[in-house]
Amino acid sequence: MKLKFVLAAALLAVGLSASAQTIIKFSHVVAADTPKGKAAEFFAKKAAELTKGKVKVEVYANSSLYKDGEEMSSLQLGSVQMLAPSLAKFGPLGVKEFEAFDFPFMFDNYTELHNITQGPVGAALLAKLEPKGIKGLAYWDNGFKSFSANTPLKTVADYKGKKFRIQSSKVLDEEIRAVGGIPQVMAFSEVYQALQTGVVDGTENPISNFYTQKMYEVQKHLSLTNHGYLGYAVIVNKKFWDGLPADIRGELEEAMKEATVYANKIAQEENDKALESVRKSGKTEVYTPTNEERMALKKAMAPVHIKMADRVGKDTLQQFYKATGFDPSKL
Ligand code: LMR
């Protein structure tokens, strides 16, 4: 009798502690083997460690839970707790200032980028998400985008009349139009098939995405244009986050801090490795534009900075220019 009671009490305790475990669903659209995918796994491991199992982060890679275009509203509704959308995905949410990250040739390197993402301008941008029920926790790097197509992309004229898949950003739409291309907004998970079937001719992405989505199978030419940046903000449902016990939230903040250091450390390495793998595949011809060709692209895209200034706000843009040294009047 006594033993039965002890057993029942033990089972109840196990049940209670199991039900007290907090589950965080972390959804993202890229492969597990990318800077974002690896950093998400790192965070999940650290979160379990630091909270001693009180929090379980379930990572859903490759749009297996939500596609881009669906994930933001799902986070706001609370059906997923954590995401790391690319910065281009915040414009459609109504926080257009984020599209400053999409401006062509805005950043020459990660140092210029970090002047924004690791400083007060980046923090102020994340704070703008709060009225939308979203809390921004960190910026995670990916890298610089390159263009691909089935025909060579050397001169600006090579882009003319070609359909390029873009993320849903008005700045990216203008960027493609500036070189005479036709922008086509599309979910990331649909790009491979669209390239394969010829729905679009080409695309832009960091090489880590180009490689892990196997785009090299369906694109004959990759031009290392490094014409724009693509990276992420890690975000959570604000109500969920604020409702966590303070000690748990603190432990998760620490896990996120460590995951961010890791993410930003591996971003360049992962893109370098991916480029090596693309070359090795032998399926895509990798072209490095000459300085003149790259400058011609930069010049052709410069009007985007003037045309889109009001959209992102002149103040935001000035802050970006100050941090990056980009001067559109010099083109
Ligand atoms: C894209 O849609 O091209 C990117 O946002 C994918 C990603 O998350 O890196």
Side-chain angles (χ1 to χ4, degrees):
M1 191 67 192
K2 209 173 165 197
L3 185 68
K4 262 192 188 164
F5 176 76
V6 172
L7 263 176
L11 281 173
L12 187 68
V14 169
L16 277 180
S17 73
S19 67
Q21 189 181 48
T22 300
I23 305 283
I24 295 182
K25 288 189 181 152
F26 186 164
S27 171
H28 68 81
V29 300
V30 296
D33 198 16
T34 55
K36 177 164 63 176
K38 287 189 168 183
E41 293 295 348
F42 182 104
F43 172 71
K45 201 158 157 266
K46 267 286 155 205
E49 220 173 278
L50 294 178
T51 65
K52 302 193 178 54
K54 289 201 198 91
V55 174
K56 181 168 192 265
V57 179
E58 296 175 352
V59 180
Y60 297 87
N62 248 331
S63 311
S64 55
L65 194 59
Y66 295 109
K67 296 200 275 190
D68 47 313
E70 297 169 351
E71 52 177 22
M72 205 71 96
S73 54
S74 307
L75 183 91
Q76 288 177 296
L77 287 170
S79 40
V80 61
Q81 289 73 38
M82 186 175 280
L83 306 171
S86 79
L87 301 166
K89 308 264 161 78
F90 293 97
L93 188 69
V95 192
K96 296 174 193 148
E97 293 90 335
F98 274 89
E99 288 184 355
F101 286 104
D102 297 338
F103 274 60
F105 294 92
M106 177 67 93
F107 306 99
D108 278 333
N109 50 52
Y110 286 107
T111 307
E112 290 179 5
L113 170 78
H114 294 160
N115 288 342
I116 296 288
T117 55
Q118 296 177 6
V121 179
L125 284 174
L126 291 182
K128 286 186 193 288
L129 300 172
E130 300 210 1
K132 309 274 178 196
I134 294 173
K135 169 109 184 131
L137 299 180
Y139 289 95
W140 284 358
D141 293 350
N142 187 347
F144 297 88
K145 296 177 290 183
S146 284
F147 278 112
S148 66
N150 275 325
T151 45
L153 296 169
K154 294 183 179 175
T155 68
V156 175
D158 294 336
Y159 292 77
K160 206 169 159 52
K162 296 222 163 65
K163 262 195 200 153
F164 288 95
R165 178 269 171 176
I166 54 161
Q167 305 178 81
S168 174
S169 151
K170 291 279 178 269
V171 173
L172 298 178
D173 183 287
E174 284 299 332
E175 168 205 275
I176 300 297
R177 290 181 198 283
V179 290
I182 304 152
Q184 180 97 34
V185 172
M186 191 179 288
F188 185 65
S189 55
E190 286 156 17
V191 180
Y192 178 90
Q193 211 187 353
L195 292 169
Q196 189 180 36
T197 55
V199 169
V200 291
D201 301 303
T203 188
E204 54 161 23
N205 238 297
I207 315 300
S208 58
N209 280 342
F210 185 81
Y211 179 64
T212 55
Q213 295 298 317
K214 298 190 164 50
M215 294 181 200
Y216 61 90
E217 292 180 353
V218 288
Q219 293 277 265
K220 291 199 177 70
H221 295 270
L222 173 67
S223 185
L224 301 177
T225 45
N226 293 311
H227 61 278
Y229 175 71
L230 190 153
Y232 312 106
V234 188
I235 56 174
V236 279
N237 176 292
K238 183 168 157 44
K239 204 161 147 214
F240 165 79
W241 192 253
D242 291 345
L244 288 171
D247 55 335
I248 298 265
R249 199 170 46 241
E251 285 154 5
L252 292 176
E253 278 164 1
E254 176 57 28
M256 184 53 65
K257 216 164 113 188
E258 293 181 32
T260 301
V261 170
Y262 172 76
N264 297 352
K265 180 182 163 288
I266 65 166
Q268 175 82 57
E269 291 163 22
E270 289 296 314
N271 278 292
D272 290 348
K273 274 196 265 173
L275 179 59
E276 211 34 55
S277 303
V278 171
R279 287 189 202 274
K280 275 203 193 119
S281 78
K283 297 197 168 176
T284 302
E285 193 173 313
V286 180
Y287 179 71
T288 305
T290 64
N291 200 33
E292 289 72 32
E293 283 164 350
R294 196 162 173 275
M295 285 308 111
L297 199 60
K298 185 172 179 178
K299 206 175 168 73
M301 289 178 172
V304 178
H305 284 253
I306 313 295
K307 220 166 166 182
M308 290 285 106
D310 286 339
R311 183 174 165 86
V312 300
K314 291 219 163 72
D315 286 352
T316 303
L317 215 47
Q318 284 316 318
Q319 288 169 331
F320 271 64
Y321 289 152
K322 196 158 166 247
T324 66
F326 185 95
D327 184 354
S329 69
K330 286 225 174 102
L331 289 167

